[in-house]
Amino acid sequence: MPTNILVFCETEGGQLRKSAFELLGKATQLAAATGGKVSAVVFGDADAASLGAWGASTVYVASGPAFGTYVAGAWVKALQAAIASSGANVVLGSASGVTREAFPRLSARIGAGLSVECTDLRAEGGAIVGRRPVYAGKALVDVKIKSAVGLYTVRPNSFTIGAAPGGSASVVALDAGITDADLDVKVVETLKPATQAVDLTEADRIVSGGRSLKSKESFDAIVRPLAKAAHATPGASRAAVDAGYAPHGDQVGQTGKVVNPSLYIALGISGAIQHLAGMRTSRVIVAINKDAEAPIFQYATYGIVGDLFEIAPALEKELTKALA
Amino acid sequence: MKIGVCLKQVPATDTRIRVNPTNTGILTDDVKWEINPYDEYALEEAIRLKQAGKGTEVVIFTLGDVASEARIRDGLARGADRAVRLDDPAFAGSDALGKARILAAALQQEGIGLVLAGRQSVDTDTGAVPAMIAELLGWRQASWVDKLVIEGETFTAHRAAGGGTREVVTGQLPAVITCDKGLNEPRYATLPGIMAAKKKPIVVKNAAALGIDAGSVGAAAALVVEEAMSLPPARPAGRILQGDAATVAAELVRLLREEAKVI
Ligand SMILES: Cc1cc2nc3c(=O)[nH]c(=O)nc-3n(C[C@H](O)[C@H](O)[C@H](O)COP(=O)(O)OP(=O)(O)OC[C@H]3O[C@@H](n4cnc5c(N)ncnc54)[C@H](O)[C@@H]3O)c2cc1C
Ligand SMILES: Nc1ncnc2c1ncn2[C@@H]1O[C@H](COP(=O)(O)O)[C@@H](O)[C@H]1O
């Protein structure tokens, strides 16, 4: 049976998110393996037609007041309508603030199996196999979905984005029949992050600091400028967060954020199992620690044994030069 | 209003995970169990809401075997009033949707008006069960909440919206709220609390008591099938750079650019 794939493409400020291209690339490969087609669904204003070049043959667009900020009731209903219109048997979304709520609801509503936070998807004998981390990434599990429709969310940065294959899409307005009753939870205020940096969960580069930074002042004076020089998002160990050097939202690890960057620089972080749980899939890990026996070195691609207060400023200088 | 707390046990976060010989799960022989860390925030918030007069009773709901009663007792010792444990051979092998069906039936049967759950279990890492419960019950929901206010029949919650943005959302009760770190500082059990917990009731309910069709839950009804578990591939041995600060910094930047090609 052909695998017809619907990709939920999220937007931010009217722009398609990078994850849309990541998922469409993967969807195109998977559909090609079974002779299926790829369609996309977009909420709100965005350049929907451009998704044709990324492999979507049809793009369903839902617009109107319900599709500005996320409203569970309306968005789940519209996703349901898009699945029905596209005849998709596989739905992909990026693991995000929206899908973590909307996809389970959709799953329960239409009786579709759900596999969240996949880091790989492959076609095997006409079926899709999702691979996802469990036990905070200390193990991986391969999952298959038995229902007629399968829902998957994919952790950002799991697939590389190639060149757009080219093509064009027909854009179809989606009428999900949204009524006031669907506007169940209202957003009354949006609190933007203080910095312009990409969020940790989507960041391609991260510089994290640990307890060894000793104070919020030195965290701000060492970790943040180095992150800026590396064009990276700052992160922190739990010890640094609990000590008040960085906000909760910056915590990386089993009880913080799980990150998947191509470069992760750990400054004075010992590499406790709970910290590793959040960053072990990073493509390149750099560890800077004065203790040569620190567990983080077992996972580091490059290690520097030394005092971070000397090395970080030197590195900041070199990175500024290199990335200017 | 009765407040329900969904609480489960998970391997302690410092557990070294080993896959069993049939690749169907982990070896649990020397695992130390704890309350799922996010469920501790849920429990704490429920206790505080009751203390603030926003709730009449805090009831723990656990889908789990008798071994999980130690964690339930811990929750009762911290201040919950009673617990409902859901256990039946028919429940074994349930996927997230099956678990949500069981928990939803129990929450409804107990007349719960507000459900507090963890943002995710740190074993299955799905973070899906609470949203499914909300859908099955037709309730409102806010997830990954680090600030919660209950005023009359309305909740106001700060939720992580993704991309570093947070949203303040409001909705009507009944609702399911999932709790994130930062919401509160969970308390520990005190000795008087531990003594009091010994007398607090834990009721066990099976499929028949919940009035759910045993065929709608468990392994046979699961839509999601876990085929094989493995350990993540080992990382290749790394390289330690030598020299003074300026030398290693320059060498690192060169390697990141030329060898690893990440900058
Ligand atoms: C339930 C639970 C959940 C947890 N969840 C998380 C989580 O999500 N994320 C997380 O990070 N942790 C988590 N932890 C905590 C974890 O176990 C560790 O305590 C924590 O990660 C340690 O942080 P750290 O590496 O900053 O501090 P430490 O372990 O104290 O390490 C500091 C390191 O800095 C080095 N150092 C000191 N001075 C310098 C210097 N001048 N230059 C260079 N190096 C220096 C030291 O050699 C040491 O290796 C959790 C723990 C529990 C119990
Ligand atoms: N077996 C269970 N018993 C009680 N609560 C559960 C159970 N499974 C999941 N939950 C609740 O749902 C939250 C998210 O779990 P999960 O969807 O499994 O990641 C947990 O933090 C709990 O609050």
Side-chain angles (χ1 to χ4, degrees):
Chain A
M1 196 177 71
T3 305
N4 293 321
I5 306 180
L6 176 69
V7 179
F8 172 43
C9 296
E10 288 189 57
T11 64
E12 190 179 1
Q15 300 291 316
L16 289 156
R17 299 185 81 112
K18 197 177 78 176
S19 57
F21 311 115
E22 183 181 351
L23 294 180
L24 280 168
K26 191 58 171 185
T28 308
Q29 279 173 20
L30 292 172
T34 61
K37 67 181 172 63
V38 175
S39 44
V41 55
V42 180
F43 294 166
D45 300 322
D47 188 3
S50 69
L51 294 174
W54 292 89
S57 55
T58 309
V59 184
Y60 299 90
V61 179
S63 43
F67 297 98
T69 50
Y70 168 64
V71 185
W75 289 39
V76 173
K77 200 166 176 185
L79 285 169
Q80 187 182 358
I83 295 170
S85 302
S86 64
N89 41 18
V90 168
V91 184
L92 304 185
S94 178
S96 72
V98 170
T99 59
R100 75 167 70 108
E101 202 173 290
F103 273 45
R105 290 197 82 117
L106 190 59
S107 163
R109 187 168 299 183
I110 66 173
L114 167 67
S115 179
V116 300
E117 300 261 353
C118 296
T119 52
D120 193 30
L121 295 172
R122 60 179 198 270
E124 201 178 270
I128 303 284
V129 181
R131 170 166 284 194
R132 55 182 304 267
V134 287
Y135 298 98
K138 294 173 205 164
L140 299 166
V141 69
D142 284 346
V143 272
K144 275 195 186 157
I145 295 180
K146 289 198 295 189
S147 45
V149 176
L151 311 176
Y152 302 82
T153 72
V154 175
R155 188 170 285 174
N157 303 339
S158 292
F159 307 124
T160 47
I161 302 176
S168 63
S170 53
V171 176
V172 178
L174 189 67
D175 181 10
I178 305 298
T179 66
D180 281 351
D182 299 311
L183 307 179
D184 52 356
V185 173
K186 290 198 175 55
V187 178
V188 290
E189 197 183 343
T190 302
L191 309 168
K192 289 278 172 204
T195 62
Q196 291 299 305
V198 187
D199 186 52
L200 281 169
T201 54
E202 293 169 13
D204 190 47
R205 295 179 199 161
I206 294 170
V207 175
S208 285
R211 191 201 312 269
S212 50
L213 270 301
K214 292 210 175 79
S215 70
K216 181 175 184 303
E217 290 66 40
S218 69
F219 196 95
D220 288 345
I222 301 271
V223 180
R224 294 185 193 282
L226 180 58
K228 198 157 174 240
H231 301 194
T233 300
S237 73
R238 176 163 178 166
V241 168
D242 286 353
Y245 308 164
H248 286 293
D250 285 1
Q251 182 181 318
V252 172
Q254 184 157 9
T255 53
K257 288 187 170 148
V258 175
V259 302
N260 198 18
S262 54
L263 174 61
Y264 189 91
I265 301 181
L267 287 176
I269 291 178
S270 58
I273 191 165
Q274 296 99 339
H275 188 80
L276 289 165
M279 43 64 76
R280 65 185 300 157
T281 58
S282 306
R283 193 142 66 78
V284 171
I285 296 173
V286 174
I288 300 171
N289 195 304
K290 68 177 185 192
D291 175 10
E293 303 295 316
I296 188 87
F297 284 119
Q298 288 165 27
Y299 298 85
T301 323
Y302 304 114
I304 297 175
V305 181
D307 185 352
L308 74 90
F309 292 98
E310 285 172 26
I311 292 156
L315 188 54
E316 184 193 330
K317 210 186 304 158
E318 289 295 332
L319 281 167
T320 307
K321 223 177 358 173
L323 298 175
Chain B
M1 177 178 68
K2 293 188 202 173
I3 304 174
V5 175
C6 293
L7 178 148
K8 66 179 266 192
Q9 67 170 9
V10 293
T13 57
D14 58 0
T15 304
R16 205 155 283 286
I17 295 298
R18 293 167 304 144
V19 174
N20 69 20
T22 51
N23 298 332
T24 50
I26 62 163
L27 291 170
T28 52
D29 35 323
D30 52 7
V31 166
K32 192 170 127 256
W33 300 91
E34 286 178 352
I35 297 178
N36 183 41
Y38 295 109
D39 301 354
E40 295 191 293
Y41 301 119
L43 175 63
E44 178 64 32
E45 198 66 11
I47 296 168
R48 289 187 191 192
L49 284 170
K50 185 188 162 191
Q51 285 172 343
K54 311 274 180 182
T56 49
E57 197 183 24
V58 175
V59 188
I60 292 175
F61 292 83
T62 299
L63 165 63
D65 62 15
V66 69
S68 54
E69 287 204 1
R71 258 51 62 188
I72 296 176
R73 287 277 171 223
D74 183 2
L76 295 172
R78 295 185 202 201
D81 297 297
R82 61 188 178 90
V84 179
R85 186 168 68 79
L86 310 162
D87 197 358
D88 191 312
F91 296 162
S94 294
D95 61 4
L97 190 50
K99 292 178 197 172
R101 285 200 180 101
I102 299 161
L103 285 160
L107 290 159
Q108 198 162 37
Q109 200 171 63
E110 295 288 342
I112 299 298
L114 170 67
V115 176
L116 297 173
R119 135 190 152 177
Q120 79 195 63
S121 326
V122 303
D123 53 357
T124 64
D125 277 332
T126 54
V129 170
M132 290 170 169
I133 292 173
E135 179 66 29
L136 293 169
L137 296 174
W139 289 7
R140 313 285 151 111
Q141 185 201 359
S143 35
W144 291 41
V145 167
D146 64 5
K147 185 167 181 212
L148 178 66
V149 177
I150 304 289
E151 212 55 75
E153 290 300 301
T154 308
F155 69 85
T156 303
H158 290 217
R159 65 177 286 266
T165 300
R166 289 159 75 242
E167 287 172 350
V168 184
V169 298
T170 67
Q172 294 294 302
L173 298 174
V176 178
I177 305 288
T178 74
C179 303
D180 202 354
K181 182 169 187 268
L183 179 62
N184 54 43
E185 269 316 313
R187 74 193 66 196
Y188 295 107
T190 59
L191 193 56
I194 293 168
M195 298 312 289
K198 291 188 174 147
K199 290 190 226 80
K200 292 180 177 174
I202 302 177
V203 175
V204 182
K205 291 189 176 183
N206 61 13
L210 291 170
I212 52 179
D213 169 12
S216 70
V217 295
L223 303 177
V224 180
V225 184
E226 300 194 344
E227 301 237 301
M229 193 175 280
S230 58
L231 291 179
R235 295 186 75 96
R239 191 181 325 165
I240 300 288
L241 313 184
Q242 309 281 0
D244 61 20
T247 311
V248 289
E251 176 65 357
L252 177 61
V253 170
R254 186 189 71 77
L255 288 165
L256 292 177
R257 170 158 281 175
E258 292 171 16
E259 187 179 79
K261 299 189 171 65
V262 288
I263 61 170

